[in-house]
Amino acid sequence: MSLTSLSVAELQTQLRSKAVSPVEALEALESRIAAVDGSICGYLARDYQRALAAAKCADVNLPLGGVPIAIKDVINVQGEQCTCGSKMLKGYTAPYDATVITRLKAAGAIPFGRVNMDEFAMGSSCENSAYAITHNPWDLSRIPGGSSGGSAAVVAADEAFAALGSDTGGSIRQPAALCGCVGLKPSYGRVSRFGLVAFASSLDQIGPFTKTVRDSALLLNAISGRDPMDSTSLDEPVPDYTAQLGRDLKGVRLGMPREYFVGGTHPQVDKAVRDAIAHYESLGAEIVEISLPHTEYAVGVYYIIATAEASANLARFDGVRYGHRTAEAANILEHYGKTREEGFGAEVKRRIILGTYVLSSGYYDAYYLRAQKVRTLIRQDFTTAFEKVDAIICPTSPEPAFKIGDRSDDPMRMYLADIFTIAVNLAGICGISLPCGFAQVEGKPLPVGLQLIGQPFRETELLKIAHAYEQSTEWHKARPAIS
Ligand code: GLN
C-alpha cells in the first residue's frame, strides 16, 4: 500500500512511530500529484515550499500533527490565492486565515493546495470553474460532482489525505458520493464560516472530505466550535466526535423517507442504497418508514433563498476594493457593469439575476417571503421525523457521475442533482455521504453514495451510525485504477 493511500488516522500512526516523517509524507503527496493531477485537474495551485517549511517543524503529537490537507479555493488561507474558481478573484491573495484554517494549524495540520470548484460554489459538476474542469478519478470522461469537485477528486485519487469543502445545497455530499469518499456537512452553526467566501450565508457550512468516517470525526474535532468572528456559530460544547465510533447499532432507528424512494433514481443507485438499508437491518438497526411531506418544494425554495442571498453577497465584487477591475469605463455605473460582466461566468450571472428578481419590490412577498415560510415547513418535517427515528437514510445523489458536458446546457437538470441533499441545508441539520457500492456504467464502476441525515448537533451519533456500516463493508477500500 502506498503512503498516499493511507487514511489520516493511519498516517498519524506512521508519523508518531517515526516510521514516516511529515516531510516524507508531503514529498510522497507531491509526487503523487505530479503523477496523476495532469489527468484529474483537481489542484488550482500549491505552495510546496511553504508546506515544506511547515512540515519541517510539525509536531506529530498534535491531533492532526504533520497531516497535509487540501483546501477548497473558497476558504481563505493567509498569503495564498483564493479565487473561488472565478475570474473575478484572479490574482487575489487572502490577507488572513479563515477560522477553520487557524484551527487546523493549531491542531498541527498543514494546509496544502487550493482545489478546484464551481465558480463561487454554484454548480454540481465543477464545470462552472473559470480555470479547469476537474475529472472524476473513476472515469476521466465524467464530472467529479460539485461544487467541491476538486476536494472530492483529490481525496479519491490519493492526491490528498483529506480536504475541506463547503456545502450550501449538497456541495460536499454530492461530490463525495460521485467520487467514492466520505463527505460530511455539519449542522448549521457547528463550524465557523469566518473566512469562507459567502454564497448563501444561511445555508453555507464548511466540512471535511476524507477516506474514512473516523477521519471525518478527526477533522470535525479540529474545526468545530464557537467563534466570536461568526455570530451564527453556536456556543455548543464540542464533544470528541470519535467517542462513539465502534459502538453497536442496537436500538438505533433509521427512517426511510417515502418521498425519497419514488422512482426517478438511477436503478443501480436505488439498488445499492436498498442493499445498504438491508445491511443496516442485519447490523441490528430498525428501519422505519417516515414521510417528509414538503420534499417536493425543497429545490424550488432553495433556488429562491440561495439566489437571493447570493445576489446580496456578490454585490461586494464591484471592482472597487478587490478583485477584477475593468480596464476602461466612462463613469461609475459603467465601471460596475463592465467589471461584473467581465468577471463573472454565466451561472453566477444567472443566479444574481434570479436572486435580484425574487427580492425586488412587488415580488418579494410572492417569492422570497413565501419561500421562507416553506423553509420552516421543511424544517418541521425533519423535527417531526426525528421524534420517531435517530437518523434518516437515503441516496445522496439520484444518479452516478454524468459525462462532462452532458448537463451544461440544461440548468434545470443540473439543479436536480441536489434533490436529496438540499433540504438538509434548508433545515440546518447535519448529513454525511459514504460509499455504498458501484453502478456499472459503460463498463466502468462508478461510486454510489449513501446519505445519512442527523439531528442538529448530533454529529457524534451520525458518525457512529456511518462508521458501523463502513467497518462491516469493503466499499471504502476500493480505489480508482489511476496511476
Ligand atoms: N449544486 C447546488 C448549487 O448549485 C449546491 C451548491 C453548493 O452546495 N455550494 O447551488
Side-chain angles (χ1 to χ4, degrees):
M1 197 153 144
S2 72
L3 183 52
T4 60
S5 60
L6 298 181
S7 68
V8 170
E10 288 164 342
L11 175 64
Q12 279 176 318
T13 308
Q14 300 280 313
L15 292 172
R16 287 178 187 157
S17 69
K18 299 207 167 27
V20 171
S21 74
V23 170
E24 283 164 348
L26 187 70
E27 280 169 355
L29 206 54
E30 180 62 15
S31 25
R32 175 72 181 167
I33 297 168
V36 302
D37 206 53
S39 42
I40 306 278
C41 303
Y43 283 92
L44 291 176
R46 316 188 286 289
D47 189 338
Y48 183 66
Q49 291 310 323
R50 202 167 195 251
L52 191 61
K56 281 182 181 154
C57 54
D59 177 354
V60 297
N61 292 313
L62 288 170
L64 295 172
V67 178
I69 293 177
I71 310 294
K72 184 178 183 182
D73 207 23
V74 68
I75 299 171
N76 282 274
V77 175
Q78 192 265 324
E80 298 193 13
Q81 71 158 49
C82 184
T83 71
C84 301
S86 180
K87 272 197 272 181
M88 187 57 101
L89 284 172
K90 189 169 188 199
Y92 174 74
T93 303
Y96 64 95
D97 277 336
T99 298
V100 288
I101 300 300
T102 310
R103 289 189 171 158
L104 279 185
K105 287 180 177 170
I110 303 169
F112 177 51
R114 312 288 306 168
V115 282
N116 198 22
M117 55 183 284
D118 285 299
E119 184 175 7
F120 286 105
M122 298 173 187
S124 303
S125 68
C126 239
E127 293 163 296
N128 295 338
S129 166
Y131 300 104
I133 294 179
T134 298
H135 299 255
N136 191 311
W138 291 91
D139 177 347
L140 297 174
S141 69
R142 292 175 187 271
I143 57 103
S147 65
S148 316
S151 307
V154 299
V155 171
D158 290 331
E159 297 180 78
F161 294 100
L164 288 188
S166 63
D167 191 313
T168 306
S171 277
I172 291 175
R173 290 158 288 154
Q174 184 257 16
L178 271 40
C179 289
C181 45
V182 178
L184 171 70
K185 186 207 89 78
S187 309
Y188 188 77
R190 177 69 299 182
V191 176
S192 168
R193 293 180 296 109
F194 178 70
L196 167 73
V197 178
F199 163 10
S201 310
S202 76
L203 302 161
D204 300 339
Q205 271 293 287
I206 296 171
F209 284 85
T210 54
K211 297 173 192 181
T212 66
V213 174
R214 177 171 295 278
D215 286 2
S216 193
L218 289 172
L219 264 72
L220 191 63
N221 277 350
I223 63 176
S224 294
R226 163 88 185 137
D227 174 15
M229 300 301 280
D230 173 4
S231 60
T232 66
S233 68
L234 291 194
D235 199 5
E236 288 276 329
V238 178
D240 175 1
Y241 288 107
T242 64
Q244 290 194 22
L245 303 183
R247 300 231 180 125
D248 69 43
L249 297 185
K250 298 241 159 43
V252 168
R253 289 159 307 165
L254 296 178
M256 239 180 116
R258 200 176 302 142
E259 295 79 4
Y260 285 45
F261 291 89
V262 286
T265 298
H266 188 285
Q268 295 190 54
V269 171
D270 190 67
K271 170 150 189 349
V273 171
R274 286 179 192 273
D275 287 351
I277 292 171
H279 187 82
Y280 266 109
E281 264 188 305
S282 76
L283 292 176
E286 185 192 338
I287 309 296
V288 182
E289 193 184 85
I290 56 162
S291 173
L292 301 169
H294 297 92
T295 293
E296 62 176 305
Y297 305 112
V299 173
V301 165
Y302 171 85
Y303 277 94
I304 291 174
I305 293 175
T307 58
E309 293 183 16
S311 74
N313 276 327
L314 270 57
R316 75 192 66 182
F317 300 106
D318 57 8
V320 176
R321 278 165 300 178
Y322 40 69
H324 175 72
R325 175 179 294 179
T326 192
E328 263 176 69
N331 56 47
I332 188 71
L333 280 183
E334 199 179 303
H335 165 89
Y336 292 149
K338 281 179 79 177
T339 295
R340 289 163 71 80
E341 162 63 31
E342 293 161 7
F344 289 136
E347 182 60 27
V348 174
K349 287 177 187 157
R350 182 180 296 127
R351 307 272 180 122
I352 293 173
I353 292 167
L354 264 170
T356 307
Y357 176 76
V358 299
L359 288 176
S360 57
S361 113
Y363 295 103
Y364 182 93
D365 288 359
Y367 293 108
Y368 185 71
L369 202 62
R370 189 167 293 195
Q372 290 290 15
K373 290 180 179 167
V374 182
R375 180 178 188 173
T376 303
L377 296 175
I378 290 170
R379 192 184 167 78
Q380 281 169 358
D381 282 355
F382 284 105
T383 311
T384 309
F386 285 131
E387 285 166 8
K388 280 194 262 164
V389 296
D390 302 293
I392 293 169
I393 189 163
C394 59
T396 306
S397 159
E399 55 183 349
F402 48 86
K403 292 261 189 200
I404 291 170
D406 234 25
R407 304 277 191 284
S408 320
D409 301 329
D410 192 346
M412 264 315 283
R413 266 183 90 195
M414 189 75 94
Y415 295 171
L416 290 173
D418 295 306
I419 194 147
F420 297 136
T421 49
I422 269 175
V424 170
N425 300 73
L426 290 168
I429 57 185
C430 55
I432 190 168
S433 179
L434 64 159
C436 74
F438 291 91
Q440 293 293 333
V441 184
E442 294 174 358
K444 290 205 171 124
L446 299 177
V448 176
L450 176 71
Q451 181 175 219
L452 296 164
I453 300 172
Q455 304 178 55
F457 288 82
R458 302 284 287 273
E459 282 83 356
T460 312
E461 286 82 353
L462 190 71
L463 288 158
K464 172 186 100 172
I465 296 168
H467 186 257
Y469 175 84
E470 177 195 72
Q471 291 302 305
S472 57
T473 56
E474 298 285 311
W475 305 119
H476 64 291
K477 295 184 182 155
R479 289 286 189 282
I482 176 157
S483 53

